[in-house]
Amino acid sequence: MNVMTDELDESGIAPGGPGGRKRKRRSRRPSEPSGDRGILSPSDWRKPGIRWGTRATHLVLLLLLIVLGLGPLLWLAKSAITPTQDTLRTPMALFPNGVDWANLSTAWSTVHIDVQFMNTIWVALGSWIMQIVVATTAGYALSVLRPKYGKVIYGLILGTLFVPSVVLLVPLYLTILNPPLLGQSLINTFWAVWLPAGASAFNVVLIKRFFDNLPREVFEAARTDGAGPFRLFWSIVLPMSKPILGVVSVFAIIAAWKDYLWPLLVLRDPAIQPLSVRLPTLQAAIQLDVYLAALAISTLIPIVLFLVFQGLFLRSAGLGGAVKG
């Protein structure tokens, strides 16, 4: 009987033995990308013409986005502290005759932009609270509690998204003019803006879809520990929903801040009108530099709020601490 001996490889496994297929490790090239491949391959990136041309294109697109996105805001900030004659003669010049900081103080105190500014804050704050309360409770009931006729109700809510808002303008105004059960008109009150803002089907659908993706095991564990519907909503669902609450908050505040038509109809008293309604009325009565200063003041809060809530768009937080309390 002849005994055949195979030459062992470095790992001690015969090339022809059981499982002895020779292992070949493919070494990755240093230039090969570890992530997903893009439009250009690594060999294309090694070509100087393609590499520098692509980077130049990226730089041009970045500068174009900055000019189109920040250009109007920067020009408004510059014009807010520029005299009227300089804005009319050389609108793109950078302070040809100095800076006029008095425009801001005049717009704030003399023209009483401070009153409309506070009115706008109250309108946005009340609209935000109403939208958050209605959207979270409705989404929680449809997604977590799941009533018997929940699908029918959800279908009706989806159906309202296809109705143009202009069609609802007249019946909504008549409802605010003579609300049922109250017997008193809500015209010239902030409730005329707050209550319709809460009936946002888009926010309900958005939060409901987010609640559908939450882990059901956490809900079952909370119910096993004796948590009721309110405790489950307050201590479990809301802490897990910080990202979507931040998104809805930004949408609600910005929408209330820039809304013009509905506050114009229901807030007829100039003393309670927001900036979006009052500024077009004041345009013919004040100078251009003061008007631009008032516009700059009115854009300050939305920019600050977006920068504050921007982290909620980027962070995927909210699951931590869901089972606490």
Side-chain angles (χ1 to χ4, degrees):
M1 182 176 181
N2 297 329
V3 179
M4 299 178 62
T5 58
D6 296 333
E7 184 178 358
L8 302 178
D9 57 3
E10 296 178 357
S11 60
I13 301 177
R21 181 176 295 176
K22 193 172 182 180
R23 300 177 181 177
K24 296 181 179 179
R25 294 184 179 180
R26 184 181 179 183
S27 59
R28 177 177 292 175
R29 296 179 180 178
S31 61
E32 185 177 352
S34 58
D36 297 334
R37 179 177 176 180
I39 299 177
L40 299 178
S41 64
S43 60
D44 293 333
W45 279 105
R46 287 192 293 268
K47 298 178 181 179
I50 297 179
R51 183 172 64 251
W52 290 109
T54 304
R55 291 178 178 176
T57 304
H58 291 170
L59 180 60
V60 171
L61 291 177
L62 179 60
L63 294 177
L64 185 62
L65 289 176
I66 292 176
V67 171
L68 295 179
L70 296 179
L73 294 177
L74 295 177
W75 184 87
L76 179 61
K78 188 267 299 183
S79 301
I81 53 178
T82 302
T84 302
Q85 298 300 325
D86 293 343
T87 303
L88 295 176
R89 293 175 181 174
T90 54
M92 304 305 297
L94 188 62
F95 309 117
N97 292 317
V99 178
D100 189 4
W101 294 100
N103 294 339
L104 298 175
S105 60
T106 303
W108 183 260
S109 58
T110 306
V111 189
H112 302 294
I113 295 298
D114 54 343
V115 177
Q116 282 77 37
F117 189 81
M118 293 304 300
N119 293 338
T120 309
I121 291 180
W122 282 114
V123 169
L125 181 62
S127 300
W128 169 71
I129 293 176
M130 292 298 298
Q131 293 187 45
I132 288 294
V133 171
V134 174
T136 53
T137 52
Y140 172 73
L142 295 174
S143 177
V144 181
L145 299 182
R146 295 182 177 179
K148 183 177 181 181
Y149 300 102
K151 293 183 178 180
V152 177
I153 298 175
Y154 184 63
L156 295 175
I157 293 175
L158 287 176
T160 60
L161 294 175
F162 298 94
V163 180
S165 58
V166 180
V167 177
L168 302 175
L169 197 62
V170 174
L172 185 59
Y173 179 81
L174 296 177
T175 303
I176 295 298
L177 186 63
N178 188 17
L181 302 178
L182 293 181
Q184 184 178 0
S185 176
L186 296 179
I187 299 296
N188 285 331
T189 63
F190 289 133
W191 289 103
V193 181
W194 294 343
L195 292 178
S200 175
F202 176 77
N203 291 337
V204 174
V205 173
L206 194 65
I207 290 186
K208 193 263 183 187
R209 294 295 298 272
F210 183 86
F211 287 172
D212 289 340
N213 296 325
L214 295 179
R216 300 290 163 176
E217 295 81 5
V218 179
F219 302 156
E220 297 299 332
R223 291 191 180 100
T224 303
D225 293 339
F230 179 78
R231 184 63 181 275
L232 180 64
F233 172 73
W234 185 260
S235 301
I236 307 298
V237 176
L238 287 185
M240 299 172 69
S241 307
K242 292 180 181 179
I244 194 63
L245 294 181
V247 173
V248 173
S249 298
V250 172
F251 288 164
I253 293 177
I254 292 179
W257 197 273
K258 67 178 183 179
D259 192 13
Y260 171 75
L261 181 58
W262 182 250
L264 177 65
L265 295 176
V266 297
L267 300 179
R268 303 171 183 173
D269 187 3
I272 61 174
Q273 287 179 345
L275 286 171
S276 59
V277 177
R278 192 60 182 163
L279 283 180
T281 307
L282 295 175
Q283 182 178 4
I286 59 179
Q287 295 183 359
L288 179 62
D289 53 355
V290 179
Y291 179 70
L292 293 176
L295 289 178
I297 294 174
S298 65
T299 59
L300 180 62
I301 292 296
I303 295 175
V304 172
L305 288 177
F306 178 79
L307 295 177
V308 170
F309 284 99
Q310 185 182 11
L312 294 176
F313 288 97
L314 304 178
R315 294 197 306 263
S316 58
L319 296 179
V323 297
K324 295 182 180 180

